[in-house]
Amino acid sequence: MKIIKFKPSTKFKYQRRVLIKNLELNIFIGIHNYEKKKKQKVRFNIEIITDPNISPSKNDMSTILNYETIVNKINYLVKKKHHDLLEELASNIFDVIFKFRLVKKVKIKIEKLEIIKETESVGINVSKTRI
C-alpha cells in the first residue's frame, strides 16, 4: 500500500472583467425637442464583472460573456427607441446585460460628447450589483 500525501490546496480569489471601452454611437437621446430631431454622439464605457466560480471554457460558451454580443445588443437598444435620459438608457442597458447568468456587477459610464460646447463631455456613472 502506497501513501499519497496531498499538499493543501491554495485558494485564489479571481475577478474577471469584460471591458467595452470608448464605444461611440450616434443616437437619439435627451428631453429637448432639438435632441429628438438630431442624433448626438455618445460614448459608452462598460465594465462587467463575471462570476469568479465559473471557469471560462472554449467548449462551453455559456461560461464566457461575449463582448461582441453586448455591443450588438446596445446598438439594437439605442436604434429601437429614443431615450429621454441617460439614466433611463443605463437602466435599459443593465436589463440587457443582467440577462446573462454570469454577470455579477456592471459599471456603466455614458457621456454626451457634443451637447455643451464648453466641455469635452457630460454624463453619468452608474453601477449595479446582483445580490
Side-chain angles (χ1 to χ4, degrees), residues 50-62:
T50 60
D51 188 338
N53 300 313
I54 299 175
S55 296
S57 169
K58 66 180 181 180
N59 298 323
D60 181 1
M61 294 309 283
S62 71

Side-chain angles (χ1 to χ4, degrees), residues 25-72:
L25 301 173
N26 286 316
I27 68 172
F28 287 108
I29 182 110
I31 58 172
H32 301 290
N33 284 334
Y34 65 88
E35 292 177 302
K36 295 178 181 182
K37 295 177 182 169
K38 184 179 177 197
K39 291 183 178 183
Q40 297 180 56
K41 189 182 286 188
V42 175
R43 180 186 303 137
F44 298 82
N45 281 283
I46 302 171
E47 180 179 313
I48 305 166
I49 298 173
T50 60
D51 188 338
N53 300 313
I54 299 175
S55 296
S57 169
K58 66 180 181 180
N59 298 323
D60 181 1
M61 294 309 283
S62 71
T63 64
I64 299 167
L65 187 63
N66 185 325
Y67 45 80
E68 182 180 19
T69 299
I70 300 296
V71 169
N72 289 340

Side-chain angles (χ1 to χ4, degrees), residues 5 13 17 31 35 38 52 105 112 120 124 128:
K5 291 186 179 181
K13 183 175 180 181
R17 298 169 191 248
I31 58 172
E35 292 177 302
K38 184 179 177 197
K105 183 175 183 177
K112 291 182 176 184
E120 178 182 325
I124 61 167
K128 186 175 183 177

